[in-house]
Amino acid sequence: MTNQIRIGIVGGGLAGITVAIALVKHPHVDVQVYESAPKFIERGAGIGLSPITLEALGDIIPSAVDFLKTHAGAVEIDAARLVVGSGPGAGTLISDLGVAAGVTLNRAPLLQALLSLLPGNMLHAAKRVRSLEQSDSGVTVAFEDGTDAHFDAVIGADGIFSSIRNFVVGEKPEKYAASPAGWWDCRHLVPFEKAKTALGDESFKVDRQYAWLGDGAAMLHGIVENGTMVQCIIAVIDKNLSTDRKRKVTRQVLQDALPASWYEGTVAKGMVELILDQEDPKGYAIWEHKFTPTYANNQVCIVGDAAHTTSPWQSAGAGMAIEDAFILGHLLGDISSVQEVNAAFRAFDALRRPRCQRVIDTGRKTGHLFCGQDEVAGLDARKLNESLGQTFAHVGSLNLESHKNDALKTMRAFLAS
Ligand SMILES: Cc1cc2nc3c(=O)[nH]c(=O)nc-3n(C[C@H](O)[C@H](O)[C@H](O)COP(=O)(O)OP(=O)(O)OC[C@H]3O[C@@H](n4cnc5c(N)ncnc54)[C@H](O)[C@@H]3O)c2cc1C
């Protein structure tokens, strides 16, 4: 088709691929995705997708939950059970978050399932973007292999340390770069029976992810991969705000990081053993974007972690990326010419930035509550329940239909002005 709007997506993680799926259905848009790694793969942890995320994904992929169950081993599960994990109150139930079911699944099969929905000829691996240049005729993308490509618009989905973000925010990009959020975590994926033996029946009493909140740390475990595996995470405070992305984790490191009060509870001993029972355990710094002046700069915009890296406490990072794809899909689906792309990107910024920044801010507050750092709530189950109810409420209460309509209305106002 001639006169298509040519869009280059930089980054083939969950954000880039979900945006590509949301755009590829529009015949007036041509999409190409560029990934720096030699293959399109995801590493690491299991994730939870909330009901609101599944609603957004269901707009992009029909019957999304069935699709994720069949193709990505998703397990339908109620939201997390929160329990005090350390000190004399260990074992006290704080709350069972939410009532509606979401799913948990592993990131690697999730990405592979999403990739299966895209034609192979629009996916370009081993293409690391080196720089962008914007002109009246569009955006030229230069790759590290010496080649370049020209687009009408570019969407940066290149993750936490995004170079497209630097381009979009303009002067002094270091001011807006991701910074340590104040915690690091270590994880391991273990077979279900092994986890149950180490953590005890109490940790699997209800069909939920468990979060154990305690002094200076939190521990989380959740079932993934069709119920065969359990994702285990220990997150601890990082007082030094270290910018080392990775650190070696040993028994001594965990002993130093976890106050003795954790061993008054039932979960710490087993979690420590499960985390250490892997070759070369590693801890990862948790990052966040504290402030972002804009998600859009003329014909370039940013999505996913490139735009709004958040600490993982509210399990919302991928959810925000999927909401981005939902909104961007509708905005770019509603226009018909290259000249209208800028209004679409500005409307995207206007709607998505306040929403995502709020999630980043309440994510941080949630981390403080989870690790006993909130001076008012401490480790008092009732106070924690009350405060967490407030920090989680807005994440899941977005009305997607209104959000979409507001975005479209905003874009049309920009076009009319
Ligand atoms: C411990 C942990 C637990 C989490 N749990 C949850 C959860 O339960 N629920 C939830 O919703 N979210 C969760 N998240 C967050 C979620 O995983 C992320 O928000 C999401 O995966 C981000 O996707 P992305 O595509 O934006 O970024 P990434 O996955 O980082 O993808 C960026 C891609 O861009 C590529 N790239 C980078 N630079 C370039 C370049 N110059 N040129 C070309 N390609 C480039 C990279 O190779 C990469 O493939 C969690 C995160 C962590 C760390």
Coordinates of all heavy atoms in Angstrom, one line a residue, residues 142-182:
A142 N 20.4 5.6 12.6 CA 21.7 5.0 12.3 C 22.0 3.8 13.2 O 21.8 3.9 14.4 CB 22.8 6.0 12.4
F143 N 22.4 2.7 12.6 CA 22.7 1.5 13.4 C 24.2 1.3 13.6 O 25.0 1.8 12.8 CB 22.1 0.2 12.7 CG 20.6 0.3 12.6 CD1 20.0 0.7 11.4 CD2 19.8 -0.1 13.6 CE1 18.6 0.8 11.3 CE2 18.4 0.0 13.5 CZ 17.8 0.4 12.3
E144 N 24.5 0.6 14.6 CA 26.0 0.4 14.9 C 26.7 -0.4 13.8 O 27.9 -0.3 13.7 CB 26.2 -0.2 16.3 CG 26.1 0.8 17.4 CD 26.5 0.4 18.7 OE1 26.8 -0.8 19.0 OE2 26.6 1.3 19.6
D145 N 25.9 -1.2 13.0 CA 26.6 -2.0 12.0 C 26.9 -1.1 10.7 O 27.3 -1.6 9.7 CB 25.7 -3.2 11.6 CG 24.3 -2.8 11.1 OD1 24.1 -1.6 10.8 OD2 23.5 -3.7 10.9
G146 N 26.6 0.2 10.8 CA 27.0 1.1 9.7 C 25.8 1.4 8.8 O 25.9 2.2 7.9
T147 N 24.7 0.7 8.9 CA 23.6 0.9 8.0 C 22.6 1.9 8.6 O 22.8 2.3 9.8 CB 22.7 -0.4 7.8 OG1 22.3 -0.8 9.1 CG2 23.6 -1.5 7.2
D148 N 21.7 2.4 7.8 CA 20.7 3.3 8.4 C 19.3 3.0 7.7 O 19.2 2.3 6.7 CB 21.1 4.8 8.4 CG 21.4 5.2 7.0 OD1 20.8 4.8 6.0 OD2 22.4 6.1 6.9
A149 N 18.3 3.6 8.3 CA 16.9 3.4 7.8 C 16.2 4.7 8.1 O 16.4 5.4 9.0 CB 16.2 2.3 8.5
H150 N 15.2 5.0 7.2 CA 14.5 6.3 7.3 C 13.0 6.0 7.6 O 12.4 5.1 6.9 CB 14.6 7.1 6.0 CG 14.1 8.5 6.1 ND1 14.7 9.5 6.8 CD2 12.9 9.0 5.7 CE1 14.0 10.5 6.8 NE2 12.9 10.3 6.1
F151 N 12.4 6.7 8.5 CA 11.0 6.5 8.9 C 10.3 7.9 9.0 O 10.9 8.9 9.1 CB 10.9 5.8 10.3 CG 11.5 4.5 10.3 CD1 12.8 4.3 10.7 CD2 10.9 3.4 9.7 CE1 13.4 3.1 10.7 CE2 11.5 2.1 9.7 CZ 12.7 2.0 10.2
D152 N 9.0 7.8 9.0 CA 8.2 9.0 9.2 C 8.2 9.3 10.7 O 8.0 10.4 11.1 CB 6.7 8.8 8.7 CG 6.7 8.6 7.2 OD1 7.3 9.4 6.5 OD2 6.0 7.6 6.8
A153 N 8.3 8.2 11.5 CA 8.3 8.4 13.0 C 9.0 7.2 13.6 O 9.0 6.1 13.1 CB 6.8 8.5 13.5
V154 N 9.5 7.5 14.9 CA 10.2 6.4 15.6 C 9.6 6.3 17.0 O 9.3 7.3 17.6 CB 11.7 6.7 15.7 CG1 12.4 5.9 16.7 CG2 12.3 6.4 14.3
I155 N 9.4 5.0 17.4 CA 8.9 4.8 18.8 C 10.1 4.1 19.6 O 10.5 3.0 19.2 CB 7.7 3.9 18.8 CG1 6.5 4.6 18.1 CG2 7.3 3.5 20.2 CD1 5.3 3.8 17.8
G156 N 10.5 4.7 20.6 CA 11.6 4.2 21.4 C 11.1 3.2 22.5 O 10.4 3.7 23.4
A157 N 11.4 2.0 22.4 CA 11.0 1.0 23.4 C 12.2 0.2 23.9 O 12.3 -1.0 24.0 CB 10.0 0.0 22.8
D158 N 13.3 1.0 24.1 CA 14.6 0.4 24.3 C 15.0 0.4 25.8 O 16.2 0.4 26.2 CB 15.7 1.1 23.5 CG 15.7 2.6 23.6 OD1 14.7 3.2 24.1 OD2 16.7 3.3 23.3
G159 N 14.0 0.3 26.7 CA 14.2 -0.1 28.1 C 14.8 1.0 29.0 O 14.9 2.1 28.6
I160 N 15.2 0.5 30.2 CA 15.6 1.4 31.3 C 16.6 2.5 30.9 O 16.5 3.6 31.2 CB 16.1 0.6 32.5 CG1 15.1 -0.4 33.1 CG2 16.6 1.6 33.6 CD1 15.6 -1.1 34.3
F161 N 17.7 2.0 30.2 CA 18.8 2.9 29.9 C 18.7 3.4 28.4 O 19.7 3.5 27.7 CB 20.1 2.2 30.2 CG 20.1 1.7 31.7 CD1 20.0 0.4 32.0 CD2 20.2 2.6 32.7 CE1 19.9 0.0 33.3 CE2 20.2 2.2 34.0 CZ 20.1 0.9 34.3
S162 N 17.5 3.7 28.0 CA 17.1 4.1 26.7 C 18.0 5.2 26.1 O 18.1 6.3 26.7 CB 15.7 4.4 26.7 OG 15.3 5.1 25.5
S163 N 18.5 5.0 24.9 CA 19.1 6.2 24.2 C 18.1 7.0 23.5 O 18.3 8.2 23.3 CB 20.2 5.7 23.3 OG 19.7 4.8 22.4
I164 N 17.0 6.4 23.1 CA 15.9 7.2 22.5 C 15.3 8.2 23.5 O 14.9 9.3 23.2 CB 14.8 6.3 21.9 CG1 15.4 5.2 21.0 CG2 13.8 7.1 21.0 CD1 16.2 5.6 19.9
R165 N 15.2 7.8 24.8 CA 14.7 8.7 25.8 C 15.6 9.9 25.9 O 15.1 11.1 25.9 CB 14.8 7.9 27.2 CG 14.4 8.8 28.3 CD 14.6 8.1 29.7 NE 14.4 8.9 30.8 CZ 13.2 9.1 31.4 NH1 12.1 8.5 30.9 NH2 13.0 9.9 32.4
N166 N 17.0 9.7 25.8 CA 17.9 10.9 25.8 C 17.6 11.8 24.7 O 17.6 13.0 24.9 CB 19.3 10.4 25.7 CG 19.7 9.6 27.0 OD1 19.0 9.6 28.0 ND2 20.9 8.9 26.9
F167 N 17.3 11.3 23.5 CA 17.0 12.1 22.4 C 15.7 12.9 22.6 O 15.6 14.1 22.4 CB 16.8 11.2 21.2 CG 16.5 11.9 19.9 CD1 17.6 12.4 19.1 CD2 15.2 12.1 19.5 CE1 17.3 13.1 17.9 CE2 14.9 12.8 18.4 CZ 15.9 13.3 17.6
V168 N 14.7 12.2 23.2 CA 13.3 12.8 23.4 C 13.3 13.9 24.4 O 12.8 15.0 24.2 CB 12.3 11.7 23.7 CG1 11.0 12.3 24.2 CG2 12.0 10.9 22.5
V169 N 14.0 13.7 25.5 CA 14.0 14.7 26.6 C 14.9 15.9 26.2 O 14.8 17.0 26.9 CB 14.4 14.2 28.0 CG1 13.4 13.1 28.4 CG2 15.8 13.7 28.0
G170 N 15.8 15.7 25.3 CA 16.6 16.9 24.8 C 17.8 17.2 25.7 O 18.5 16.3 26.0
E171 N 17.9 18.5 26.0 CA 19.1 18.9 26.7 C 19.2 18.3 28.1 O 18.2 18.0 28.8 CB 19.0 20.5 26.9 CG 19.5 21.2 25.7 CD 19.5 22.7 25.9 OE1 19.5 23.1 27.0 OE2 19.4 23.4 24.8
K172 N 20.5 18.1 28.5 CA 20.8 17.5 29.8 C 20.0 16.2 30.1 O 19.3 16.1 31.1 CB 20.5 18.5 31.0 CG 21.3 19.8 30.8 CD 21.6 20.4 32.2 CE 22.6 21.5 32.0 NZ 22.2 22.8 32.6
P173 N 20.1 15.2 29.2 CA 19.3 14.0 29.4 C 19.7 13.3 30.7 O 18.9 12.6 31.3 CB 19.7 13.1 28.2 CG 20.9 13.7 27.6 CD 20.9 15.2 28.0
E174 N 21.0 13.5 31.2 CA 21.4 12.8 32.4 C 20.5 13.2 33.6 O 20.4 12.4 34.6 CB 22.9 13.0 32.7 CG 23.4 14.4 33.0 CD 23.4 15.3 31.8 OE1 23.2 14.8 30.6 OE2 23.6 16.5 32.0
K175 N 19.9 14.4 33.5 CA 19.1 14.8 34.6 C 17.8 13.9 34.8 O 17.2 13.8 35.8 CB 18.6 16.2 34.3 CG 18.9 17.3 35.3 CD 18.6 18.7 34.8 CE 17.2 19.2 35.2 NZ 16.9 20.5 34.7
Y176 N 17.4 13.3 33.7 CA 16.2 12.5 33.7 C 16.4 11.0 33.5 O 15.5 10.3 33.3 CB 15.3 13.0 32.5 CG 15.1 14.5 32.5 CD1 15.6 15.3 31.5 CD2 14.5 15.1 33.6 CE1 15.5 16.7 31.5 CE2 14.3 16.5 33.6 CZ 14.8 17.3 32.6 OH 14.7 18.7 32.6
A177 N 17.7 10.7 33.7 CA 18.0 9.2 33.5 C 17.5 8.4 34.7 O 17.2 9.0 35.7 CB 19.5 9.1 33.4
A178 N 17.3 7.1 34.4 CA 16.9 6.2 35.5 C 17.9 6.3 36.7 O 19.1 6.4 36.4 CB 16.8 4.8 35.0
S179 N 17.5 6.2 37.9 CA 18.4 6.2 39.0 C 17.9 5.1 40.0 O 16.8 4.6 40.0 CB 18.3 7.6 39.7 OG 17.0 7.9 40.1
P180 N 18.8 4.7 40.9 CA 18.4 3.6 41.9 C 17.3 4.0 42.7 O 17.2 5.1 43.2 CB 19.7 3.4 42.7 CG 20.8 4.0 41.9 CD 20.2 5.1 41.1
A181 N 16.3 3.1 42.9 CA 15.1 3.4 43.7 C 15.3 3.2 45.2 O 14.5 3.6 46.0 CB 14.0 2.6 43.1
G182 N 16.4 2.4 45.5 CA 16.6 2.3 47.0 C 16.5 0.8 47.4 O 16.6 0.5 48.6

